[in-house]
Amino acid sequence: MDITIRTARPEEYAEAGELVARAYLDDGLLDFGALDPYLATLRDAATRAEQAELLVAVDESGALLGSVTFTRPDGPYAERARDGEGEFRMLAVREAARGRGVGEYLVTACVERARELGLRGLVLSTQHMMHAAHRLYERLGFVRTPERDWQPLQGITLWTYALRL
């Protein structure tokens, strides 16, 4: 399967947003399900594309397989990035495309982008139950940084991982 990682096009924003929203919903990652207020943020790929870098994975036919948002430390989507670090968020792969390396390609693209920008590191937040994602991050050299774990909402703790570049 040929996979290309590139910047999302405006005509793909709605589909990319829905892909991310569906992944979070279908995987049970939203505490309040379809009523979760974060769902609107997940669906709003157009704003992410405007305020950060919205990357997509597509196959040879142009079908969207996955998406990730890359941000610089001073961007509005940066939550845990410190000075000199990039961050990625909202990584999602269409269920039918899982197990084919799409997530790895998207994360690798974020690593490459951080290097292009001369950043010293790359960070991310993840939920404790995202075991497959944890294995991917660790395989790519990310390490757990529990001292940076945080709670975006009371009772919801996100784990952090970091990669030194």
Side-chain angles (χ1 to χ4, degrees):
M1 172 187 234
D2 289 328
I3 299 170
T4 301
I5 307 299
R6 60 170 170 72
T7 301
R9 298 175 181 148
E11 64 270 17
E12 296 169 325
Y13 295 166
E15 184 181 358
E18 191 57 31
L19 184 155
V20 175
R22 282 274 34 118
Y24 276 66
L25 273 172
D26 294 347
D27 291 348
L29 302 174
L30 297 172
D31 286 343
F32 306 107
L35 300 176
D36 198 300
Y38 191 51
L39 198 53
T41 301
L42 296 173
R43 284 193 167 117
D44 190 3
T47 299
R48 290 197 305 278
E50 180 182 300
Q51 298 180 354
E53 296 181 39
L54 181 65
L55 303 177
V56 293
V58 297
D59 68 13
E60 60 277 355
S61 72
L64 242 58
L65 305 176
S67 177
V68 68
T69 300
F70 173 87
T71 187
R72 299 171 191 227
D74 57 351
Y77 281 90
E79 293 176 323
R80 304 313 291 164
R82 296 175 179 160
D83 188 41
E85 293 178 327
E87 185 170 347
F88 69 86
R89 300 186 48 200
M90 300 177 219
L91 172 67
V93 176
R94 188 178 304 280
E95 187 171 1
R98 292 180 184 174
R100 301 178 190 171
V102 175
E104 183 169 344
Y105 284 117
L106 287 164
V107 173
T108 300
C110 290
V111 172
E112 290 171 2
R113 184 67 181 124
R115 284 188 174 125
E116 287 170 5
L117 293 170
L119 298 173
R120 296 185 318 267
L122 185 62
V123 298
L124 66 103
S125 299
T126 182
Q127 293 178 333
H128 67 87
M129 76 282 269
M130 295 176 156
H131 304 294
H134 303 161
R135 287 189 299 274
L136 168 63
Y137 304 144
E138 290 166 6
R139 188 172 70 248
L140 294 176
F142 286 81
V143 296
R144 274 279 290 124
T145 52
E147 69 279 3
R148 293 173 77 171
D149 291 354
W150 64 294
Q151 291 189 337
L153 297 171
Q154 183 66 30
I156 299 174
T157 299
L158 296 180
W159 289 5
T160 60
Y161 280 79
L163 176 70
R164 293 289 134 223
L165 301 175

